[in-house]
Amino acid sequence: MIPVRLMLATFLLVALSYVALSFALFEMPATETAAADCGFLPGEFVSAGELTFGRTEAFAVSFVRKQEYLTAASLGLAGAFLAFALTAGRRGGAASAGAAAGGGLMALGAVCVGCLAPALSVVGLGVLGSLFAGVPKALLFLNTLALTGWGTLYLSRRLATCSPAASRA
């Protein structure tokens, strides 16, 4: 049986933690080039070197325009799957250790390719990270959704066939 509440709680915790961390690390761009890199339009950057938005509104605009919500959702999915795999491991699923490691790698990949730490893509993932830096976030989200969905289905079926209750029947 899939622990839906645990997975949902973990998803929300990880996704909201990413949003909170992104907000804490968000800096108002000082130049027009930096503003463009954060997703702001040229008309939103006034000549005095400031945006027409306050910090909170500027963060929200940048977060939506840079599609960071997809990164947050990808991390949430990977975290939820990781929680499920660890729970399955305690119940005797032999494949859950590899699945948990895979969930952790998906979360690391989403963070490294995301906008939270652009330099981390090169440092954390080496040359491979710099190659993946141009991958659309929607594609990363769909990939994470497919892999975590398949992994959850695989582990839940494996647990159902290998459970002690199934072997006694």
Side-chain angles (χ1 to χ4, degrees), residues 4 13 17-18 25-26 30 45 55 73 77 80 82 90 98 121 132 139 150 152 157 160 162 164 167:
V4 176
L13 177 71
S17 295
Y18 179 78
L25 296 175
F26 180 75
F45 192 79
R55 184 178 187 278
L77 285 171
L82 184 62
R90 280 190 231 125
S121 65
F132 285 150
L139 186 61
W150 178 84
T152 302
R157 286 186 177 180
C162 296
S167 63

Side-chain angles (χ1 to χ4, degrees), residues 23 26 40 54-66:
F23 181 73
F26 180 75
F40 295 107
R55 184 178 187 278
T56 304
E57 189 179 3
F59 168 75
V61 168
S62 177
F63 197 82
V64 170
R65 287 186 184 163
K66 297 289 286 182

Side-chain angles (χ1 to χ4, degrees), residues 121-144:
S121 65
V122 177
V123 174
L125 295 178
V127 176
L128 195 60
S130 62
L131 294 175
F132 285 150
V135 175
K137 292 179 182 174
L139 186 61
L140 287 174
F141 172 74
L142 289 174
N143 183 45
T144 305

Side-chain angles (χ1 to χ4, degrees), residues 4 6 8 68 77 90 111 120 136 139 144 151 156 160:
V4 176
L6 171 70
L8 182 61
E68 285 299 304
L77 285 171
R90 280 190 231 125
V111 167
L120 194 59
L139 186 61
T144 305
S156 64

